[in-house]
Amino acid sequence: MTAADLRIEHLDDPLGIGSTEPRLSWRATTGQAAYEIEIRHGDGDIATSGRVDSTASHFQSWPSRPLASRETADIRVRLWEADGVGPTAWSEPLRVEAGLLASTDWTADWVSPSTAASHDGARPAYLLRATYDVVGEVRLARIYATAHGVFDLEMNGCRVGDDVLAPGWSSYRHRLRYRTRDVTSVLRPGRNAVGVWLADGWYRGRLGFNGGLWDNYGTDVAALVQVEVEDDLGRRTVPLTWSWAPSPITATGLYEGESHDARLDIAHWSEPDFDDAAWIPASILPPQAATGALESPTGPPVRVVDVLTPTEIVTRPDGRILIDFGQNIAGKIRLGVAGCDGTPIEIHHAEVLENGELATRPLRSAASVDVYTPRGDEPSTWTPRFTLHGFRYAEVRGLPAGGTLLSAEGLVVHSDMTRAGWFSTSDPLLDRFHQNVVWSMRDNFVDLPTDCPQRDERLGWSGDIQVFAPVATYLYDSAGVLQNWLRDLASEQAEFGSVMNFHPWIECGFPGDPAAAWGDAAVIVPWELYRSTGDVGILRDQFESMRAWVEQVHALTGQTGHWSTGFQLGDWLDPAAPPDRPGDSRTDPRLVATAYHAKSARLAAEAAHLIGQPDAAADLGRMAERAVAAFREHYVSPAGLVVSDTVTALSVAIIFDLLRDDAQRRAAGARLAELVREGDHRIQTGFVGTPLVCDALATTGHADTAYHLLLQTETPSWLFPVTMGATTVWERWDSLLPDGSVNPGEMTSFNHYALGAVADFLHRVVGGLQLVEPGWSRVRVAPQPGGGLESASTAHLSPFGLIGVQWRRADGRLVVEVDVPPGVTAEIVLPSPQAAPIEVGEGVHRFACAYRPADADPPRPRRWNIHNPEERRQMIEAGVL
Ligand code: BGC
């Protein structure tokens, strides 16, 4: 037995951490009864926790003095087993190093090559360079760096780090993240050089819809680079004097695309001996121009995480080359060409084809065109540096006669999170749907959770991640990315006095008014993170934000609990809403708003209780009671019918536990199943109802109806896009219409994860793996087979290790196999009335029970036409009349 996989906070990279007393986690390879943590500080000080009798192995407190800026420490853990065996050998040490923790640690200047620029189009990128000398042997070298804009670093001609679009997008007015890099091995004796590629990015480039806005955070682009070395003169920050030059990137924007003229490439520009006499001195920004607190990242950087090769390349008669990567991605293309003569080559991008041509209308004003001008005819490979596209297809235009496309690759770009969740079944369509959900998550986790990766939007819409959070935390270790986003949400909520509908917020014409389901992200996302990680610290950090949202809504209800006034997005994108009015849902938005208020108030009350704030828990609990009472008073009939009488209204009432008793639940469930059948088992829900409807059916005894809805292939349904060849989840049920044309609605993305939120049902109910205790220490394995599926499996990489469930039907029996890691208890609930629940611990377990598939859910009930004599005759025959 050992303690393995030591980790601090939610970080994979322990270099440059931002906390002085980071919490520690590990995985015990067999049952743990006690532990000891040892901290060996860089200066030789040693502290230990002593033996702590506890089975807890996650987020344990730092048992030593706080770390100072730049300080290193080696952490080791040893364990004792339940029967007193131990201690084990010490774990492998984990070396952590603190970043720059105080603003006074930053002594470098903000330097800028461009303190303002006109915005009649995408602006160029810049190069900045500086040299410095080291004396004698270099024992250590670090770069701490960030930018107004996006940047790449070089040192002595080598790229430093492999992150893309650093420092990412945060609410820069409040927080700006910096990177810490170890460059010890890159330094040379004597003279060294550091270089920066710098462009607008989210800081100064065009952002937002309705034309968007330029200069959202400032008019400058600038870099903050502090190089610290330890050489014969000791540890010190080296003085840097910066100069700049135009780069070969003549224009670059996140929406616009990038133009690179390789004839302007500057060889060796980041090397020490380069002659920079013609370069221009960089401006030094006044200290007050620096925005927001400098913070170390809470999650992984954005990287190129995958490289796709084309599934098809077609050269058209007019010379255009259409490349299909077979998968809709967020990323960029890498091209290899030869035989070119210095004419610009254009690369256009699109998610789908319409009539064989790139369908670019859904991109709205995001042109997404890259232009590469090779230097000459020698072979060269190029990829844009500071732009990103949402695309499956790319079209190369303008390759000159005699030019050759040597290679084309699709570089997949997103936050480099660890994969944590898997699911598959015997149904290939359902499996492809699940893969589409995974892809839409990947494509929309480029540093922050966004709505879509392709059009002039790509914003951190709060409603989208609110509904998707349970899936996001299951599929990937997304805690670090979401924690970062929640900090922005809380900072801007404090600034504006409300949770905005997307964060970071930009004023591009969308109402900032509070809206249910969107603003509720302030409560529900931290809650989901707590559930999936067991980290109460996230609730502690976010609590003021959670409480402020609930109190704000309580005030908006006039203390009645009934949220009946103001702006709402409601059950956004109900398929019955006209293409140009996506908010016109069948379900009363006030019902949705009141239901969400009840849900959030309850969760915030529970959070208050968990973090030891009983008074706040009591206050919030009262608000919750009022909201539940208001919901019942206004929307629920005594018999359990729900006003609006829609699939969403009933699902919300059932899943948010807003009904009075079992009788009402049964009645609501029965009516829900009836509505779903009457709707021909097609989707009748938008953002709010879609994640809930299958669960609402299954928990009220209508799993067969849920399966029928789940496996529907006619539009609107989850599987219709799959039958149309989708490789990601679409924004609209019919983003592509059955005839293959693109939906005329203004909002028609092919890569929105929100409607993929049903994957949570796939993991928990179809696969059967349900979290019981936050952090996965206790799970319930309760698959509910159905829909004719022969088998299903799901697995989650929990903080304790991989938990797996798989079931298959064989000869009238159901066989269930469960893989339980140490530290996890699983309750097994087989789908048979005879099978009593069983509790198991670590190991691989196999169970079986008699199983007969439920009768298939009846099809849509016949609707009779009473005016038709023939139908009247049939009605008499059928006993209806
Ligand atoms: C986004 C959605 C978002 C919605 C709310 C859209 O433009 O793409 O996903 O939640 O607006 O208004």
Side-chain angles (χ1 to χ4, degrees):
M1 177 178 77
T2 49
D5 303 341
L6 263 59
R7 203 175 181 209
I8 55 154
E9 297 297 330
H10 295 277
L11 288 167
D12 298 324
D13 181 2
L15 178 66
I17 61 168
S19 69
T20 54
E21 295 172 284
R23 296 165 309 152
L24 310 169
S25 304
W26 58 88
R27 194 169 53 77
T29 55
T30 58
Q32 163 194 318
Y35 68 81
E36 180 176 6
I37 302 171
E38 181 200 77
I39 308 291
R40 198 176 279 259
H41 288 268
D43 61 6
D45 268 10
I46 298 181
T48 94
S49 62
R51 177 183 161 144
V52 180
D53 288 319
S54 165
T55 54
S57 54
H58 298 109
F59 310 109
Q60 299 308 297
S61 5
W62 181 253
S64 184
R65 62 171 159 82
L67 291 171
S69 289
R70 309 175 179 87
E71 188 179 353
T72 59
D74 288 323
I75 305 163
R76 302 192 299 175
V77 175
R78 60 181 177 177
L79 308 176
W80 284 263
E81 281 181 68
D83 50 11
V85 177
T88 59
W90 286 105
S91 65
E92 286 294 308
L94 173 73
R95 159 84 42 110
V96 297
E97 180 175 320
L100 301 184
L101 303 172
S103 55
T104 46
D105 292 324
W106 289 92
T107 52
D109 291 317
W110 276 99
V111 288
S112 174
S114 163
T115 52
S118 78
H119 47 71
D120 40 13
R123 294 138 163 182
Y126 306 87
L127 299 175
L128 284 154
R129 65 172 258 122
T131 55
Y132 57 95
D133 294 318
V134 296
V135 180
E137 189 201 340
V138 175
R139 281 176 285 280
L140 172 144
R142 296 283 181 270
I143 302 191
Y144 305 95
T146 188
H148 289 175
V150 281
F151 74 106
D152 279 350
L153 282 178
E154 293 192 13
M155 194 165 260
N156 297 337
C158 305
R159 171 94 154 88
V160 175
D162 56 1
D163 36 349
V164 175
L165 297 171
W169 186 15
S170 55
S171 178
Y172 300 130
R173 284 186 307 280
H174 299 282
R175 313 168 46 242
L176 176 60
R177 287 162 297 166
Y178 65 90
R179 299 265 174 235
T180 304
R181 295 280 170 245
D182 178 356
V183 283
T184 314
S185 62
V186 189
L187 259 59
R188 304 172 189 165
R191 175 136 300 193
N192 288 269
V194 56
V196 181
W197 291 84
L198 182 65
D200 283 8
W202 295 278
Y203 188 87
R204 192 175 80 159
R206 182 167 66 99
L207 271 189
F209 45 96
N210 295 332
L213 297 169
W214 295 88
D215 300 340
N216 274 289
Y217 296 96
T219 53
D220 63 296
V221 283
L224 176 67
V225 180
Q226 183 155 316
V227 178
E228 299 190 3
V229 299
E230 192 182 321
D231 59 8
D232 288 357
L233 299 181
R235 175 138 187 176
R236 64 209 174 85
T237 299
V238 295
L240 298 173
T241 303
W242 293 88
S243 51
W244 72 271
S247 84
I249 299 174
T250 54
T252 184
L254 290 163
Y255 296 164
E256 289 82 1
E258 184 160 306
S259 299
H260 184 119
D261 187 343
R263 295 166 305 181
L264 306 176
D265 283 354
I266 305 172
H268 313 296
W269 70 274
S270 66
E271 290 184 13
D273 301 334
F274 177 79
D275 177 7
D276 59 10
W279 285 40
I280 309 148
S283 311
I284 296 179
L285 298 188
Q288 66 274 19
T291 39
L294 293 169
E295 285 184 14
S296 172
T298 57
V302 174
R303 292 195 174 101
V304 173
V305 283
D306 231 333
V307 178
L308 305 184
T309 47
T311 51
E312 197 178 4
I313 302 183
V314 176
T315 305
R316 303 179 191 263
D318 60 6
R320 290 178 298 152
I321 304 171
L322 180 67
I323 304 166
D324 180 0
F325 288 99
Q327 174 61 52
N328 199 17
I329 62 168
K332 47 192 182 173
I333 193 169
R334 183 161 62 199
L335 278 190
V337 292
C340 298
D341 56 4
T343 39
I345 301 168
E346 290 182 3
I347 305 131
H348 296 245
H349 302 80
E351 298 185 285
V352 291
L353 300 180
E354 197 173 22
N355 303 322
E357 297 292 333
L358 299 184
T360 53
R361 183 179 53 79
L363 304 177
R364 300 196 304 222
S365 74
S368 307
V369 178
D370 297 334
V371 183
Y372 172 52
T373 309
R375 198 201 309 253
D377 65 0
E378 71 277 22
S380 62
T381 304
W382 175 79
T383 186
R385 192 179 282 273
F386 293 125
T387 192
L388 211 58
H389 310 296
F391 70 104
R392 168 177 167 170
Y393 299 93
E395 191 171 84
V396 177
R397 299 181 191 166
L399 201 65
T404 319
L405 181 66
L406 297 174
S407 61
E409 295 162 303
L411 309 188
V412 179
V413 174
H414 56 77
S415 292
D416 197 0
M417 305 167 289
T418 303
R419 179 82 188 261
W422 296 265
F423 173 83
S424 70
T425 65
S426 52
D427 183 333
L429 286 184
L430 197 58
D431 285 7
R432 181 67 235 196
F433 170 73
H434 190 267
Q435 287 166 28
N436 293 358
V437 176
V438 174
W439 271 106
S440 280
M441 169 164 180
R442 299 177 65 178
D443 298 340
N444 281 298
F445 267 65
V446 180
D447 198 43
L448 70 158
T450 57
D451 56 336
C452 57
Q454 75 298 83
R455 66 178 178 225
D456 53 0
E457 206 152 338
R458 316 182 192 182
L459 303 174
W461 283 96
S462 42
D464 303 42
I465 188 58
Q466 183 272 115
V467 297
F468 193 71
V471 180
T473 52
Y474 189 89
L475 292 178
Y476 277 90
D477 176 1
S478 46
V481 175
L482 292 174
Q483 210 183 2
N484 175 63
W485 181 77
L486 284 170
R487 287 188 184 176
D488 278 354
L489 180 150
S491 308
E492 294 189 339
Q493 178 187 12
E495 177 186 357
F496 297 115
S498 179
V499 180
M500 308 308 271
N501 293 309
F502 52 84
H503 292 282
W505 178 250
I506 45 173
E507 294 288 353
C508 61
F510 196 83
D513 308 44
W518 273 253
D520 290 288
V523 176
I524 294 169
V525 177
W527 183 258
E528 289 300 331
L529 283 181
Y530 158 65
R531 272 169 47 80
S532 64
T533 62
D535 180 6
V536 183
I538 290 182
L539 297 179
R540 206 166 279 124
D541 290 350
Q542 292 300 126
F543 183 67
E544 281 317 311
S545 156
M546 298 168 86
R547 171 158 70 180
W549 169 252
V550 174
E551 285 176 348
Q552 180 191 359
V553 175
H554 182 65
L556 287 170
T557 71
Q559 279 84 41
T560 65
H562 183 215
W563 192 0
S564 59
T565 53
F567 168 79
Q568 291 296 347
L569 290 159
D571 192 21
W572 182 253
L573 277 172
D574 177 332
D580 58 338
R581 302 180 63 86
D584 284 1
S585 65
R586 280 169 271 213
T587 306
D588 185 345
R590 294 168 296 188
L591 175 151
V592 169
T594 306
Y596 261 103
H597 179 42
K599 173 170 175 156
S600 283
R602 277 177 175 159
L603 293 182
E606 209 172 329
H609 169 73
L610 284 164
I611 63 170
Q613 295 206 23
D615 294 346
D619 281 353
L620 291 159
R622 275 189 292 274
M623 293 178 206
E625 276 165 27
R626 218 164 269 190
V628 173
F631 186 89
R632 289 177 181 162
E633 182 191 333
H634 290 271
Y635 302 111
V636 185
S637 84
L641 295 182
V642 179
V643 169
S644 271
D645 195 32
T646 60
V647 171
T648 292
L650 289 154
S651 300
V652 162
I654 293 167
I655 295 299
F656 289 6
D657 199 12
L658 299 173
L659 299 171
R660 197 165 286 124
D661 50 30
D662 275 354
Q664 280 197 341
R665 280 171 66 81
R666 270 196 304 279
R671 177 63 187 146
L672 175 64
E674 201 168 74
L675 282 180
V676 171
R677 284 189 208 115
E678 278 173 11
D680 204 11
H681 298 92
R682 300 193 197 197
I683 292 285
Q684 304 175 49
T685 48
F687 269 36
V688 168
T690 299
L692 311 177
V693 53
C694 286
D695 267 308
L697 287 165
T699 60
T700 52
H702 304 281
D704 45 351
T705 311
Y707 269 105
H708 200 149
L709 181 69
L710 183 68
L711 299 176
Q712 172 66 269
T713 52
E714 298 294 323
T715 184
S717 69
W718 284 288
L719 298 189
F720 168 73
V722 180
T723 66
M724 295 293 285
T727 60
T728 38
V729 179
W730 296 349
E731 178 173 29
R732 293 175 181 274
W733 299 105
D734 55 355
S735 284
L736 214 55
L737 300 175
D739 67 4
S741 61
V742 173
N743 187 306
E746 183 219 0
M747 294 184 344
T748 306
S749 135
F750 293 86
N751 210 349
H752 257 63
Y753 51 54
L755 301 179
V758 70
D760 186 39
F761 175 82
L762 300 181
H763 305 145
R764 282 185 298 99
V765 182
V766 179
L769 178 55
Q770 301 170 12
L771 176 149
V772 176
E773 276 301 321
W776 295 92
S777 56
R778 189 174 190 88
V779 299
R780 184 173 301 121
V781 173
Q784 290 194 47
L789 297 182
E790 294 291 335
S791 62
S793 68
T794 190
H796 178 69
L797 183 59
S798 77
F800 297 93
L802 195 73
I803 311 174
V805 178
Q806 44 180 303
W807 58 259
R808 63 179 185 282
R809 287 164 41 192
D811 310 323
R813 294 176 74 71
L814 185 82
V815 180
V816 181
E817 267 174 30
V818 186
D819 207 333
V820 184
V824 176
T825 305
E827 304 161 19
I828 316 295
V829 185
L830 299 179
S832 155
Q834 284 81 43
I838 309 160
E839 202 169 285
V840 295
E842 178 191 354
V844 178
H845 310 275
R846 195 159 185 269
F847 308 91
C849 66
Y851 174 75
R852 193 178 65 81
D855 293 335
D857 194 43
R860 176 190 190 130
R862 168 118 192 228
R863 293 201 183 127
W864 305 96
N865 178 359
I866 193 85
H867 296 289
N868 178 319
E870 171 55 19
E871 288 206 29
R872 270 208 304 277
R873 196 189 55 72
Q874 289 174 12
M875 287 168 86
I876 292 166
E877 245 175 53
V880 181
L881 273 183

